Amino acid sequence: MTLDEIIKSRRDTRHFTQDEVPEEVIQRALQAGHYAPSVGLTDATRYYLIKSDEIKKEVKKLFLDYDQKASNLTDDELQKKQYQALKLEAIEEAPLGLVICYDRSVLNHFTIGTVGSNEAIKFSAVSASQNIWLSLTEQGYSMGWVSILNYYQFKQLLGLPENIEPLGYFCVGKPATNYDNQPMLQQLNWKQKAEKPIVEEILVFTPITATESLRGTKQSRSDLSSKSSDLDKALQQKIDNKTKPTGSLGVLETLAKQIGIVFQTLEPQITNPHIAVFAGDHGIANHGVSAYPQDVTRQMVTNFLEGGAGINVFCEQNNIGLTIVDAGVNYDFPTNANLVSAKIGKGTQSFLHTSAMSETELNLCFTKGKEVVNSIFETGSNCIGFGEMGIGNTSTASVLMSILLELPIEDCVGQGTGVVDEKLTQKQNILKKAIEKYNGPNDLQSKLAYFGGFEILQMAGGMLQAKENNMLILVDGFICTVAFLIAYQMNPSVKENSIFCHSSAEKGHQKILDYLDVQPLLQLDLRLGEGTGCAVAFPIIQSAVSFLNEMASFESAGVSRS
């Protein structure tokens, strides 16, 4: 057969004979896969052969379970029956099972070609699968791709390491039919394949614009406290009239008054409290500023989605809603993953060599952050906490702090994920070099674009929108406070709505709190991020509201003041 004939006759096969696949056939096909393009010669593609009937049976169970869920996604009964009638796999019938995977651990070491997109190693594995398919077809055999699986359970069943990601399960054997020389779904009139590829030449480019520029960010309404002197006095009187010595509830009294002023009522209520965790990757992480490889960002987001992280535990404990936001992780999460996709790009560029992002991307960060907060506000939430995740983001935050507060970088850099001694000195030197190399404009927008992080700037935009919505804003640790510092420089009144939940163990955090002249609620030496400080502090905030609303006054309790 010619190459064109091989390509045309390649089928996603679901019907196989019982003929065994000769060893030389599979080895030739796998060698063809090995010849496929491999980004940066990473050789990240891995193959696993399955001949055991017992393993095939267990894989089939996984398919049937997920296939039932897929069938239930449609309310159209006719379509459901048509779907259920389709033969979508031949897991037990095919003489050989093949699992094609890619090894994410290769990303722990710098490889040319993977900086722009870590997903390139997945694309390499897909190229290998196509080569295998074509080789099998040329030899008179074929494959069928089964992707209707719970991949987490699939990996567990096969005992695959955490760093090995499967493309799916492939059924391999000699085809029992040629499907009338057309795709099976087309043969069954499920859907017709277009005769020709869809091709269009792009002749002009369209400038990307954000709905609202950073310079044009609308100011929030004027200072609430200046318009609320009567409420201020009434709240203080209500607090002082509780059955307690004046000022004896300390910070709780300050909190209660602040919350009452924010919500403009003597009886404030916190409704549907929520925490949004923004995740993004940073190009500076490629220079050894973190104790962990960049891929940990993706791993931790997966952990959030599976409910296994600290923020999951504390949110569940305190009945707080949780939203995970992909602001710019260097990974393509499944479209059905329970997260908000606000991805600006697959990680920023390294500001050691170039601007982390463009001005357009900067504006998009603020727009996306505001959209995330608005969607939470529309659920009836009037209290939002901010958290973050991103390998390398303490470096980004340290540089932003240094620039915004005009402090030496040595005063701003902390351990982050745990770098100490020589590694900490190396981190400081790299960041100092990056700042010294900057020769761009001196305005805030230019500096934020050059040194910013997608998740940090989305949080800043989100905080500004939370102020617009008159929500209570809970600020977590060092990185979130740097995001707040950006928002504060753009609209100082955002401080009125904000509660600083803790002073972290990160070196620069207390300096920012001192600059803002704010008192954090807790000092627990936290430096986990994720918004955990917000979640842990929330019961204290709720206690302030509860005593203001429910504690008896001297008059109602009949208690003498003297």
Side-chain angles (χ1 to χ4, degrees):
M1 287 193 291
T2 66
L3 177 59
D4 278 349
E5 289 172 335
I6 294 170
I7 292 172
K8 289 176 183 177
S9 59
R10 185 208 65 80
R11 293 285 169 261
D12 191 9
T13 303
R14 308 298 188 195
H15 298 82
F16 296 94
T17 69
Q18 294 301 304
D19 297 351
E20 292 296 318
V21 182
E23 184 67 19
E24 58 270 22
V25 171
I26 190 62
Q27 290 305 319
R28 182 177 168 191
L30 292 176
Q31 189 63 45
H34 189 60
Y35 287 141
S38 172
V39 61
L41 291 180
T42 48
D43 281 339
T45 308
R46 304 286 182 267
Y47 307 102
Y48 299 88
L49 299 176
I50 296 177
K51 299 178 182 179
S52 163
D53 290 338
E54 185 179 5
I55 296 176
K56 291 178 185 177
K57 184 177 181 180
E58 293 303 313
V59 174
K60 177 69 173 284
K61 287 180 183 177
L62 288 182
F63 166 82
L64 291 174
D65 177 63
Y66 215 77
D67 185 53
Q68 183 62 46
K69 294 176 183 177
S71 174
N72 291 335
L73 289 176
T74 177
D75 294 324
D76 186 325
E77 289 302 319
L78 176 59
Q79 188 181 48
K80 183 177 291 188
K81 288 180 180 177
Q82 290 175 329
Y83 174 83
Q84 292 170 340
L86 293 174
K87 182 172 177 54
L88 298 176
E89 52 77 36
I91 296 169
E92 291 187 283
E93 296 93 326
L96 179 66
L98 173 64
V99 183
I100 304 176
C101 307
Y102 56 99
D103 181 359
R104 292 191 59 82
S105 70
V106 301
L107 298 172
N108 294 344
H109 308 284
F110 174 76
T111 302
I112 291 174
T114 63
V115 175
S117 171
N118 283 355
E119 294 304 287
I121 59 171
K122 179 197 290 185
F123 306 152
S124 298
V126 173
S127 296
S129 70
Q130 180 75 323
N131 273 18
I132 292 169
W133 227 321
L134 294 174
S135 174
L136 288 170
T137 301
E138 190 269 338
Q139 297 180 77
Y141 292 82
S142 189
M143 261 190 344
W145 191 337
V146 182
S147 60
I148 304 175
L149 297 163
N150 180 311
Y151 277 69
Y152 178 75
Q153 293 177 337
F154 185 48
K155 284 179 63 173
Q156 278 192 319
L157 173 66
L158 299 182
L160 298 180
E162 193 280 334
N163 55 290
I164 298 296
E165 300 285 354
L167 296 180
Y169 183 96
F170 294 82
C171 306
V172 182
K174 183 175 282 293
T177 174
N178 66 0
Y179 303 106
D180 290 339
N181 288 318
Q182 57 185 316
M184 184 187 71
L185 293 181
Q186 182 171 309
Q187 182 195 33
L188 298 174
N189 295 316
W190 176 264
K191 189 176 182 180
Q192 296 301 304
K193 187 176 183 69
E195 290 187 11
K196 300 288 184 182
I198 301 171
V199 182
E200 182 178 351
E201 181 182 359
I202 298 175
L203 299 174
V204 296
F205 73 92
T206 304
I208 303 172
T209 56
T211 57
E212 187 177 323
S213 73
L214 176 56
R215 293 189 183 92
T217 297
K218 187 170 59 178
Q219 291 289 304
S220 295
R221 47 192 186 143
S222 0
D223 184 17
L224 282 172
S225 61
S226 66
K227 300 167 72 174
S228 311
S229 58
D230 291 341
L231 177 64
D232 187 309
K233 293 175 183 176
L235 279 166
Q236 190 62 58
Q237 184 178 23
K238 182 177 181 181
I239 291 168
D240 291 343
N241 282 342
K242 297 297 183 181
T243 49
K244 60 176 181 58
T246 302
S248 60
L249 282 178
V251 174
L252 291 183
E253 297 188 18
T254 306
L255 271 178
K257 186 175 180 180
Q258 179 188 4
I259 295 168
I261 290 173
V262 168
F263 294 145
Q264 291 285 281
T265 177
L266 292 172
E267 297 180 348
Q269 297 288 341
I270 294 177
T271 59
N272 298 338
H274 210 97
I275 291 177
V277 179
F278 293 75
D281 276 311
H282 296 252
I284 195 66
N286 292 317
H287 303 288
V289 295
S290 173
Y292 294 92
Q294 188 185 77
D295 192 44
V296 170
T297 305
R298 187 272 311 177
Q299 294 171 9
M300 280 304 301
V301 171
T302 301
N303 194 24
F304 297 152
L305 299 178
E306 293 173 355
I311 188 59
N312 300 99
V313 172
F314 297 137
C315 281
E316 184 174 354
Q317 175 191 5
N318 296 310
N319 197 27
I320 301 171
L322 178 62
T323 293
I324 309 302
V325 182
D326 176 8
V329 181
N330 197 351
Y331 181 74
D332 285 325
F333 293 97
T335 54
N336 61 349
N338 187 26
L339 55 66
V340 173
S341 179
K343 192 189 291 289
I344 305 297
K346 291 184 177 179
T348 60
Q349 299 299 309
S350 170
F351 56 67
L352 184 61
H353 300 308
T354 186
S355 180
M357 66 187 76
S358 66
E359 186 172 316
T360 297
E361 288 174 323
L362 172 68
N363 288 328
L364 282 173
C365 284
F366 280 85
T367 300
K368 293 285 189 181
K370 292 179 178 184
E371 289 173 352
V372 169
V373 169
N374 268 337
S375 66
I376 292 170
F377 177 67
E378 288 167 2
T379 68
S381 173
N382 66 358
C383 175
I384 182 168
F386 290 84
E388 45 63 40
M389 174 62 212
I391 294 301
N393 65 4
T394 54
S395 294
T396 299
S398 297
V399 171
L400 291 171
M401 173 187 171
S402 174
I403 290 169
L404 292 169
L405 299 187
E406 298 182 344
L407 291 173
I409 190 65
E410 292 84 358
D411 291 348
C412 308
V413 178
Q415 295 181 25
T417 51
V419 292
V420 293
D421 302 329
E422 310 90 51
K423 288 281 289 184
L424 182 57
T425 301
Q426 177 189 345
K427 178 178 178 180
Q428 290 175 344
N429 291 337
I430 288 172
L431 300 183
K432 186 175 183 179
K433 181 180 178 182
I435 295 173
E436 290 172 348
K437 284 178 63 178
Y438 178 71
N439 59 3
N442 198 38
D443 62 283
L444 176 63
Q445 178 149 334
S446 297
K447 290 181 178 179
L448 291 180
Y450 198 93
F451 294 105
F454 292 142
E455 82 280 25
I456 294 174
L457 296 174
Q458 285 196 20
M459 285 192 294
M463 291 171 183
L464 290 169
Q465 187 60 47
K467 172 62 179 175
E468 283 288 323
N469 297 342
N470 202 36
M471 302 171 79
L472 202 60
I473 300 168
L474 309 186
V475 184
D476 191 37
F478 173 59
I479 295 154
C480 286
T481 307
V482 169
F484 175 85
L485 186 61
I486 296 167
Y488 177 75
Q489 295 229 346
M490 296 167 63
N491 180 8
S493 70
V494 71
K495 181 177 167 182
E496 300 161 357
N497 290 55
S498 301
I499 296 172
F500 296 82
C501 294
H502 73 109
S503 176
S504 82
E506 273 300 303
K507 184 175 182 178
H509 192 201
Q510 188 59 50
K511 286 184 172 65
I512 306 178
L513 297 174
D514 291 341
Y515 169 82
L516 293 168
D517 191 24
V518 293
Q519 185 67 39
L521 293 184
L522 301 170
Q523 170 54 271
L524 299 175
D525 287 339
L526 304 176
R527 56 183 182 88
L528 176 60
E530 304 176 9
T532 48
C534 299
V536 170
F538 182 73
I540 296 175
I541 298 166
Q542 192 65 270
S543 294
V545 173
S546 296
F547 103 76
L548 181 63
N549 291 333
E550 300 171 23
M551 189 174 178
S553 66
F554 284 104
E555 291 80 2
S556 67
V559 176
S560 174
R561 287 178 175 272
S562 57

